[in-house]
């Protein structure tokens, strides 16, 4: 056991004395010491019930012969942080969460760790920490929120954001918006569509770091507590067999994860997070490889915002194991890989047949023949850009449009609300990248407001920032290099013609190269005026094309 270096022998008597000061007995100290990394707080709705999950996980560890030791991490609610200064801190929180887990596990010589995340950045952060530490680890999240009901229709947080646009456009009253606001988020949990948190929780199953059901069992179901107990027991098996994250998160496991990602139609943020986790695991995975997987993977699910279904319905239809079983019919998965369950992928998905064909389509009759996410390249994005093509209207897949340029999200939102955006406009929002934002703000407000105003089939958005997993429409993010690094997006001017070709993966600024060179000579790059942690982050963070890693 790793903890032996901290607790065994005459020289470690002071260490044992300190453990006893915390109330641990000799019998507890002599057992494997298991960290319980709990991201509970009283702000984030997906984390408000994580004390219950932690208690269940600790019971599992105790039942299997280990000593659980709980410690906290932070978490940010992207919905609450949206559209103000707070969103600059969401993506940077990923690094702090990963670093804090590394510190706690390394400093105290823990033998294994149960990771308890739920919302957007906590899930990838904890998997990054697992890959970095490479001590036995398992993920058990808090689970998704149930969808709400409003006027006999399922609704979610995105419906509320779009309601803001509907009020602005005179299609909804303030009173109706308040009624919607009170109905859309009826339980605790991560917001109920295939947004970033649920995307990453589903992927935790696909990559092999969580037990089946982790991505889809609703937060309020008792099954979630039982899964937490099973995860606590399973970590002891992983410790005893010395099965570590890098044994599980291999190159082939990342290929499985991206394949499931494309089948589900996950958030574009998974491109940032999976590449960052791969980096920690020592696995080389670039955007071109992701495009290859997208081109051969059928899109089997159209979950909110791409369609009418929510995570609870995916769970009832068979969950991630049923999606993987469907993919395996076309030999799209590496079925021989091991995972935290102790089974191979093939053994785990055997017999997991989907229920019906609406929530999870048949592999021979998919929603589309290619995956839910597309990587675009061209002179506007030499290092790549990303779009959730499964949530783009057919008429927006190939368009030639005129640019309307803004140097921040705030200015763009102000123009949208003031009615200054017209059909066939292509909104360009720059200086919102990892360095330039800094923090690569998620832009749900402009996209949802446009959708609420009925413009999502007529207006495109292009940014070096990123979009929420709840975004629908021709929202193209992660444009790299970003404006703050002198990328071509910094050269775009109002009225420039931009060609968007999502089908063929192209993003082109139709401006003569000589003209662009003249613009570059007089370009003054805007640097963020920030202090504290966010300033340090801005100075250290890499491009979105490499996962915005520090």
């Amino acid at each position: 056991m790793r903890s032996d270096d901290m607790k065994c022998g005459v020289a470690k008597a002071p260490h044992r004395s300190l453990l006893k000061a915390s109330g641990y007995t000799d019998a507890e100290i002599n057992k494997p010491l298991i960290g319980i990394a709990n991201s509970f707080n009283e702000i984030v709705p997906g984390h408000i019930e994580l004390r219950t999950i932690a208690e269940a996980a600790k019971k599992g560890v105790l039942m299997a012969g280990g000593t659980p030791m709980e410690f906290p991490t932070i978490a940010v609610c992207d919905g609450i942080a949206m559209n103000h200064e707070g969103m600059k801190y969401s993506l940077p929180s990923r690094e702090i969460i990963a670093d804090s887990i590394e510190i706690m596990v390394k400093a105290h010589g823990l033998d294994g760790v149960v990771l308890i995340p739920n919302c957007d950045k906590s899930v990838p952060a904890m998997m990054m920490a697992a890959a970095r530490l490479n001590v036995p680890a398992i993920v058990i999240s808090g689970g998704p929120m149930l969808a709400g009901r409003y006027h006999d229709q399922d609704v979610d947080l995105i419906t509320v954001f779009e309601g803001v646009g509907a009020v602005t456009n005179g299609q909804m009253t303030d009173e109706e918006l308040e009624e919607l606001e009170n109905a859309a988020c009826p339980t605790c949990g991560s917001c109920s569509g295939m947004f970033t948190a649920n995307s990453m929780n589903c992927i935790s199953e696909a990559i092999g770091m969580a037990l089946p059901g982790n991505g889809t069992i609703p937060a309020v179901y008792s099954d979630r507590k039982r899964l937490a107990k099973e995860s606590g027991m399973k970590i002891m098996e992983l410790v005893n067999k010395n099965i570590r994250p890098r044994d599980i998160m291999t190159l082939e496991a990342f290929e499985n994860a991206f394949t499931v990602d494309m089948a589900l139609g996950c958030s574009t943020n998974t491109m940032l997070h999976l590449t960052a986790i791969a980096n920690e695991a020592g696995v080389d995975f670039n955007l071109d490889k992701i495009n290859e997987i997208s081109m051969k993977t059928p899109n089997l699910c159209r979950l909110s915002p791409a369609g009418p279904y929510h995570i609870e319905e995916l769970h009832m239809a068979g969950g991630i194991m049923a999606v993987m079983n469907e993919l395996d019919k076309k030999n799209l998965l590496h079925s021989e890989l091991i995972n935290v369950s102790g089974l191979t992928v093939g053994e785990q998905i055997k017999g997991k047949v989907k229920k019906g064909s609406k929530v999870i389509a048949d592999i021979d009759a998919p929603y589309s023949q290619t995956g839910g996410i597309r990587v675009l390249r061209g002179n506007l994005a030499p290092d790549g850009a990303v779009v959730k093509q499964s949530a783009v209207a057919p008429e927006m897949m190939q368009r030639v449009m005129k640019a309307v340029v803004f140097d921040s999200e705030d200015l763009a939102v102000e123009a949208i609300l003031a009615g200054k955006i017209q059909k066939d406009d292509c909104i360009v929002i720059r200086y919102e990248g990892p360095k330039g934002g800094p923090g690569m703000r998620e832009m749900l407000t402009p996209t949802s407001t446009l959708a609420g105003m009925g413009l999502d089939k007529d207006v495109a958005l292009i940014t070096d920032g990123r979009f929420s997993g709840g975004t629908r429409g021709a929202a193209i993010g992660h444009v790299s290099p970003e404006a703050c690094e002198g990328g071509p997006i910094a050269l775009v001017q109002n009225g420039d013609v931009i060609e968007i070709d999502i089908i063929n993966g192209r993003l082109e600024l139709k401006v003569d190269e000589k003209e662009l060179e003249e613009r570059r000579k007089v370009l003054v790059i805007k640097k963020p005026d920030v202090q504290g942690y966010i300033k340090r982050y801005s100075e250290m963070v890499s491009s979105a094309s490499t996962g915005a890693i520090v």
Side-chain angles (χ1 to χ4, degrees), residues 207 245-255 281 283 285 337:
I207 205 169
R246 291 190 192 181
D247 299 326
I248 295 169
M249 290 193 283
T250 61
L251 172 62
E252 292 76 15
F254 279 96
E255 290 177 351
V283 172
F285 223 104
L337 304 181

Side-chain angles (χ1 to χ4, degrees), residues 386-423:
V386 179
V387 64
K388 187 172 184 173
Q389 64 179 357
S390 60
V392 178
E395 53 265 49
M396 292 298 291
M397 295 294 283
Q398 291 178 306
R399 292 290 291 270
V400 176
M401 312 179 81
K402 288 189 176 181
V404 183
V405 184
F406 302 94
D407 284 347
S408 73
E409 177 192 7
D410 308 278
L411 293 173
V413 170
E414 183 180 311
I416 294 169
L417 293 175
K420 296 180 180 179
I421 301 302
Q422 309 298 320
K423 290 184 178 182

Side-chain angles (χ1 to χ4, degrees), residues 1 5 16 27 67 80 82 85 109 114 132 145 160 165 179 183 212 220 246 258 278 294 305 307 311 468:
M1 293 188 296
D5 294 336
R16 294 191 295 273
T67 297
I80 297 173
M82 195 72 63
E85 184 186 23
V114 178
R132 185 188 304 173
M145 184 185 292
V160 187
E179 184 183 352
V220 294
R246 291 190 192 181
F258 277 112
S294 180
I311 302 298
S468 163

